[in-house]
Amino acid sequence: MQKITVAKGDGIGPEIMDATLSIMKAAGARVEYDIIEVGEKVYLSGNTSGITKEAWDSIRSNKVFLKAPITTPQGGGYKSLNVTMRKSLGLYSNVRPCKSFHPFVQTKHPKMDMVIIRENEEDLYAGIEHQQTDEVVQCLKLITRPGCEKIVRYAYEYAKLYNRKKVSCFTKDNIMKHTDGLFHQVFKEIAAEYPDIESENWIVDIGAARLADTPEIFDVVVMPNLYGDIISDVAAQISGSVGLAGTANIGETCAMFEAIHGSAPDIAGQNMANPTGLIKASVLLLNHIGQQDVAESINNAWSCVVEKGIHTKDIYKEGSSKQLVGTKEFADAVVAHLGQKPTMLESTEYEKGVSFSMPKYVRRKRSNKVLKGVDVFVDWPGSNANELAEKLTQLNNDVSLSMITNRGVKVWPEGFEETFCTDHWRCRYEVKNGSAASSSAIVDLLSKALSSDVEVIKTENLYEFDGVRGYSLGQGQ
Ligand code: NAI
């Protein structure tokens, strides 16, 4: 018996969780439940995190968590519990199988069968945001080498284990050469270790377009957090419905399984919700804890029910569906079909006891890091960059003003009148002649700025790592 933590969640959560647990029980899942409370009630009791210490203790001690959707109350500074959980528990990998169940669930893509593996902890979801001037707010996009290595290796190990033939990587490294560039670079490095698996890289925009149009050309797709968040919902939707997908959030020690949809308050308490997303999450969970026999049996019974046309309202179609059922009746039908195999949909056959262990991240030798200058960000309400440059060149010392950009585009020297400027200016100071800058030159520059009434809102040091520039050029530079 393995103890797992269960949260019934909000809205339709309790109905679909009861349906799922009844199927797991009937299928002989060798699990015991530790039921915890997370979500709306906890938020409204004044706990802005949505989770109590006791709930954390349960998840951390059981290490496996089946979670129904929760409602995040609007406004009031409540933090997304999903994001908090993924990051606090180090659940770096989000795995979302998106497969069509044609012809029983309507889709334009009957052959699609892909798994999206999304980095789950970093990127813009670091949630580090600041308003810096009247007109400008920023969000830091953090991409790390350990984060990239872990997720890309996970995608390849997953592909190897499940006999998938190809891993595709989606990035926007033609624009974000350093952040997405690192993700792509790590993808190339790790792909080389798996010569038997085909590897390809797509620029995310055209990749997403192809994925929405011709999803059957994709197999395993790995991507940074934000693209993965958006594209995995698109993939689930075009496979038939977002209501049908389950997802796994996997970390080094803990794992959390859930449906991808929300708490659907509009249909809560009406025995109308489709429990499939959470049932599929339970299948992923059982596979994760080594109970492939139970996972297989539930998945096959689910397929039997769907191919017999026993459908909940969201997928019911006059003509092709045979029987309209509620949440509970759907679960009862799955229970009644345990032990049977589908005749038209593919039956599931998990290899017994399959799992893979990921190597621990090994930090690389530190690079030779050389300071080359500083980007000083200035709040200035003017509009003529030449005027600002005149003021700022007076601050020159060992580092001197080489460029001003506004929203990334170069406006000095030789800017265009047509360029629209906000009150947020990046002013780049660099050393001359390829030498190294000193920290004291930067401190001196900032103290001169202070006495010259230049409002510095932040600085970013400019470094070279082993002789390679670690910062972007200005657009137009
Ligand atoms: P939602 O996914 O709850 O609902 C969108 C639409 O899909 C609704 O019309 C709903 O009735 C329908 N739907 C969703 N699941 C269904 C199911 N199993 N069977 C039949 N129909 C289903 O998204 P929405 O309305 O944007 O969010 C509602 C709440 O859920 C919000 O508080 C949101 O923060 C939360 N949410 C929670 C998530 C989680 O806990 N993992 C994920 C997404 C949203």
Side-chain angles (χ1 to χ4, degrees):
M1 279 287 171
Q2 174 154 356
K3 202 167 194 188
I4 65 169
T5 300
V6 168
K8 295 196 175 186
D10 303 313
I12 58 170
E15 300 160 65
I16 59 173
M17 184 59 86
D18 287 343
T20 303
L21 296 184
S22 74
I23 297 169
M24 287 171 75
K25 182 166 181 225
R30 300 173 289 282
V31 288
E32 282 173 8
Y33 307 119
D34 189 4
I35 309 265
I36 58 162
E37 186 78 60
V38 293
E40 201 172 19
K41 267 195 219 139
V42 182
Y43 280 121
L44 296 179
S45 74
N47 181 334
T48 50
S49 71
I51 181 165
T52 61
K53 181 178 176 308
E54 294 69 38
W56 274 127
D57 290 346
S58 166
I59 299 167
R60 293 176 69 201
S61 106
N62 296 326
K63 303 194 172 16
V64 179
F65 180 28
L66 182 62
K67 179 181 150 294
I70 56 167
T71 301
T72 314
Q74 304 262 306
Y78 303 107
K79 285 300 234 186
S80 160
L81 181 55
N82 285 324
V83 177
T84 306
M85 276 203 237
R86 286 174 198 151
K87 296 183 65 171
S88 306
L89 297 171
L91 308 180
Y92 65 90
S93 177
N94 182 271
V95 182
R96 188 179 290 186
C98 297
K99 184 172 169 28
S100 86
F101 303 108
H102 178 81
F104 307 104
V105 178
Q106 296 264 314
T107 170
K108 293 181 185 137
H109 309 286
K111 294 203 192 102
M112 100 179 250
D113 177 10
M114 77 172 86
V115 180
I116 295 189
I117 297 193
R118 157 189 170 197
E119 198 292 314
N120 220 8
E121 294 183 284
E122 35 192 67
D123 194 351
L124 291 159
Y125 290 62
I128 307 175
E129 296 188 297
H130 299 96
Q131 176 161 4
Q132 298 184 321
T133 65
D134 272 352
E135 293 173 349
V136 176
V137 282
Q138 74 160 22
C139 177
L140 272 189
K141 171 162 166 138
L142 289 180
I143 300 281
T144 71
R145 180 166 266 278
C148 296
E149 286 192 10
K150 275 159 60 176
I151 197 66
V152 173
R153 190 171 296 286
Y154 188 94
Y156 276 96
E157 285 295 321
Y158 183 99
K160 193 164 104 186
L161 180 65
Y162 291 100
N163 211 10
R164 299 251 170 190
K165 306 287 179 243
K166 182 167 76 171
V167 179
S168 313
C169 169
F170 281 19
T171 55
K172 187 83 186 172
D173 62 332
N174 53 334
I175 304 294
M176 285 162 278
K177 296 184 198 304
H178 293 267
T179 47
D180 283 26
L182 175 61
F183 197 94
H184 186 186
Q185 170 60 27
V186 169
F187 177 74
K188 285 194 278 193
E189 289 167 13
I190 291 180
E193 296 177 35
Y194 297 84
D196 297 337
I197 298 173
E198 193 189 332
S199 301
E200 62 179 18
N201 183 67
W202 290 79
I203 298 293
V204 61
D205 40 13
I206 188 64
R210 284 303 296 276
L211 186 144
D213 180 65
T214 330
E216 58 278 8
I217 65 170
F218 294 102
D219 197 347
V220 172
V221 189
V222 64
M223 45 191 135
N225 205 343
L226 178 65
Y227 311 142
D229 192 2
I230 299 166
I231 294 171
S232 63
D233 265 19
V234 172
Q237 181 64 35
I238 64 171
S239 74
S241 159
V242 280
L244 300 180
T247 185
N249 298 277
I250 309 281
E252 277 169 24
T253 49
C254 296
M256 173 171 85
F257 301 84
E258 57 186 337
I260 70 167
H261 57 73
S263 58
D266 53 333
I267 55 166
Q270 299 171 44
N271 192 37
M272 259 170 69
N274 187 343
T276 294
L278 199 58
I279 297 172
K280 295 280 179 189
S282 77
V283 168
L284 294 169
L285 181 153
L286 290 161
N287 187 33
H288 176 79
I289 62 173
Q291 297 190 21
Q292 280 78 21
D293 51 337
V294 191
E296 216 169 276
S297 154
I298 294 177
N299 223 16
N300 285 334
W302 179 89
S303 297
C304 291
V305 170
V306 169
E307 69 179 22
K308 282 195 176 158
I310 305 171
H311 293 165
T312 45
K313 192 167 172 225
D314 55 315
I315 58 167
Y316 186 87
K317 276 263 160 347
E318 209 59 63
S320 55
S321 300
K322 299 280 181 298
Q323 193 186 343
L324 175 63
V325 291
T327 313
K328 182 170 181 321
E329 294 69 31
F330 185 88
D332 292 344
V334 175
V335 169
H337 287 81
L338 286 167
Q340 298 182 30
K341 291 204 167 163
T343 51
M344 290 179 67
L345 288 172
E346 202 182 325
S347 91
T348 313
E349 278 167 30
Y350 287 123
E351 273 179 54
K352 300 278 177 288
V354 288
S355 68
F356 57 88
S357 57
M358 293 278 296
K360 277 239 174 264
Y361 174 74
V362 183
R363 183 167 280 161
R364 293 167 13 140
K365 187 173 149 284
R366 284 177 74 78
S367 336
N368 178 28
K369 183 176 171 189
V370 179
L371 185 64
K372 303 300 283 183
V374 64
D375 276 348
V376 178
F377 290 75
V378 169
D379 182 346
W380 186 62
S383 55
N384 184 340
N386 293 329
E387 264 175 49
L388 181 63
E390 205 170 300
K391 207 166 150 103
L392 292 178
T393 41
Q394 289 166 28
L395 312 180
N396 287 357
N397 53 28
D398 285 352
V399 289
S400 48
L401 187 71
S402 59
M403 173 183 78
I404 302 177
T405 69
N406 198 294
R407 293 188 301 172
V409 73
K410 188 185 68 150
V411 290
W412 182 91
E414 293 157 17
F416 294 168
E417 274 172 25
E418 293 85 343
T419 306
F420 179 81
C421 292
T422 67
D423 55 4
H424 185 269
W425 307 80
R426 173 180 59 167
C427 311
R428 175 161 292 176
Y429 288 84
E430 289 177 285
V431 274
K432 295 231 166 61
N433 314 326
S435 54
S438 66
S439 303
S440 55
I442 293 175
V443 173
D444 174 58
L445 175 74
L446 295 178
S447 73
K448 274 197 196 151
L450 189 66
S451 48
S452 320
D453 261 354
V454 173
E455 190 187 342
V456 174
I457 46 180
K458 74 159 189 169
T459 60
E460 294 281 356
N461 285 355
L462 307 175
Y463 293 108
E464 265 182 16
F465 292 82
D466 289 338
V468 178
R469 180 171 43 79
Y471 48 94
S472 55
L473 297 177
Q475 287 158 345
Q477 193 181 13

